[in-house]
Each structure stands twice: as structure tokens, then as C-alpha cells.
Amino acid sequence: MAEFRISSDDDQVDLRRMATALAESQGWAREEVSVWDNRRGEVVVTVDDSLLRKPEADPLHRPRHTPRDVHNACETLHREDASLHRVDFRVLRDETARFFSAGWTVADVLHALGHRPDGLPWPSGPDHRGTAWLRARMKAWRTPNGDIRPSKSQEAAQLRVISRAGLPMDIGLPEDTEMSQRPVASPSVARSAADDARRLMRQNSRTTTDSLAHRDRTSAHITRRDGHR
């Protein structure tokens, strides 16, 4: 349990209000902290230690851009997917590196190794393992021009944008389809969704080979605080 105290020589300052504002600025819910007065005229705030620790990003769902991150991601893939056990590690890294540069996560690649872009599962078993099978599955997640399709998580993000925009529920359906509700977004929500949509179209709609080449050059120069790339 961590504790900090707030005091002031100015009697006009509302210390409890200040303490509450400080807690909210950290993203702590009011019920997660304790605010009380002591006999010295101070306001004491106690916080559970868990709130002070920055949560670690889920290793399966965070982007991997640097060469070291891609290496670690491929180690996870090699460990998690039985069909890759006989695949040379360098081949696995070469086949998946561009997908990670396109913003895919480890969970996205695992999904692509188990499912086709239309959502149907790939065949599994002893006859569906090895390098050729790896390349065939990952190739299916490219366009005929070689560009990378949106991953599962990127498609989910795009759907959230559509939902936030409040588009009609019958969008894409035949004109004679009857729908009882046709929600319309407020202007502020629509503007926010439009901003998200522009960002997603730039990053997630599809990743061209030219943009990947640029990202590869950029990621090669990314250096972490610990000195690793």
C-alpha cells in the first residue's frame, strides 16, 4: 500500500477535492483509492501497490516492429503452433516479418495459421505441416498483388469504427430488407469515427509492399532504452 499526503497553508484550498482530482488524473477509480483527513489538517491518499505498477502489454496482442521483437514473436509462434515445429526458424522469421511490419500481432499470425481469410479453418494433421504449408497459409493472407490483408485484430478495429459512426444497420443489405431501427450518429461521434477511419485506412486496410519497405527501413533504426534493437 502506497500513501501520499497533501497539505497547504492556504485555507481556501479544498484538499480533498485536489486529492480526488489527482487520483482521477492517474486513471484510478474513486473506489480504488482511500482519501481521508488526519489530525494535522492533511489529506491522506492511500493507493494499492497494484495501481502503481504499469501493466505489461499482452505479448500476444501487441505490435512487433523491431528485429528483436520479431525474433521473440517467432519464438512464440514456433512454440505455440505444432505445424511449425519442423520449420527452420529463419524461414519462419522471413515469412512472417512483413506481417509484423504491417501491424500484425502474434495472435493475428496464429489466427492466420489456423484460419483462411474467409474464417474457415485450415486443414490440420501430419500432412499439413512444414515449410510449404506455412508459405501456402501466409500467402493466402496476401492480395494477388502481394499486399498484406488486414489481420483479425485490424478488421475488428475497423468494425468498431463503423459501430461508433452509427451507420445504418441495413448497410449492405438488399433494399427490400426491413429493419426496425436505423441509428444515426451524433456529429461529435461521427467526426471522431471519421478520424479513426482515416487512421485505419492508412495503417490497416491493406499494407502495400512499398509501405512495408519503408517500415523495414524505419524499424531497423528503432532502439530501445536498454540499447537493444
Side-chain angles (χ1 to χ4, degrees):
M1 184 72 69
E3 175 183 296
F4 63 90
R5 305 184 181 191
I6 301 176
S7 62
S8 175
D9 295 332
D10 188 346
D11 296 335
Q12 302 299 316
V13 175
D14 189 333
L15 297 180
R16 292 184 65 87
R17 184 175 181 180
M18 180 182 295
T20 301
L22 287 172
E24 291 177 349
S25 70
Q26 299 301 313
W28 301 330
R30 181 62 185 85
E31 60 271 15
E32 293 177 326
V33 299
S34 175
V35 179
W36 48 281
D37 303 289
N38 63 14
R39 296 180 179 179
R40 300 177 182 177
E42 301 170 325
V43 168
V44 181
V45 181
T46 55
V47 185
D48 190 89
D49 290 339
S50 62
L51 294 177
L52 301 177
R53 299 191 188 99
K54 185 177 181 180
E56 296 184 1
D58 186 341
L60 292 181
H61 295 88
R62 64 181 177 85
R64 308 294 186 107
H65 296 302
T66 68
R68 183 179 179 84
D69 281 344
V70 172
H71 181 93
N72 293 338
C74 289
E75 288 184 340
T76 302
L77 292 172
H78 216 271
R79 183 173 60 251
E80 295 293 331
D81 193 311
S83 70
L84 302 176
H85 289 177
R86 295 184 180 180
V87 175
D88 183 81
F89 187 83
R90 289 175 296 180
V91 173
L92 174 61
R93 184 180 56 201
D94 291 343
E95 287 296 320
T96 58
R98 284 295 180 92
F99 289 86
F100 288 122
S101 293
W104 282 41
T105 66
V106 173
D108 289 329
V109 177
L110 287 172
H111 175 79
L113 292 173
H115 300 81
R116 304 186 326 190
D118 60 7
L120 295 177
W122 290 111
S124 60
D127 295 334
H128 300 91
R129 299 185 179 187
T131 301
W133 184 233
L134 164 67
R135 287 172 172 161
R137 286 179 289 176
M138 299 312 296
K139 182 179 179 181
W141 283 85
R142 290 178 178 266
T143 68
N145 295 329
D147 298 336
I148 294 176
R149 300 177 186 274
S151 68
K152 181 181 179 181
S153 68
Q154 290 170 339
E155 287 184 340
Q158 292 170 345
L159 290 175
R160 286 196 296 271
V161 170
I162 292 175
S163 176
R164 286 182 58 191
L167 294 176
M169 296 295 292
D170 60 351
I171 186 170
L173 296 177
E175 294 183 359
D176 57 353
T177 301
E178 294 184 2
M179 300 296 291
S180 61
Q181 295 181 344
R182 302 172 63 89
V184 177
S186 66
S188 60
V189 172
R191 283 193 297 270
S192 177
D195 291 340
D196 287 344
R198 282 190 289 270
R199 174 179 56 80
L200 287 169
M201 284 189 290
R202 287 196 303 268
Q203 298 179 356
N204 300 337
S205 294
R206 65 185 178 94
T207 307
T208 65
T209 53
D210 289 341
S211 64
L212 283 174
H214 172 72
R215 293 187 190 183
D216 287 344
R217 292 194 299 269
T218 302
S219 65
H221 294 85
I222 296 176
T223 304
R224 294 179 171 179
R225 292 182 179 178
D226 58 6
H228 296 300
R229 288 184 178 272

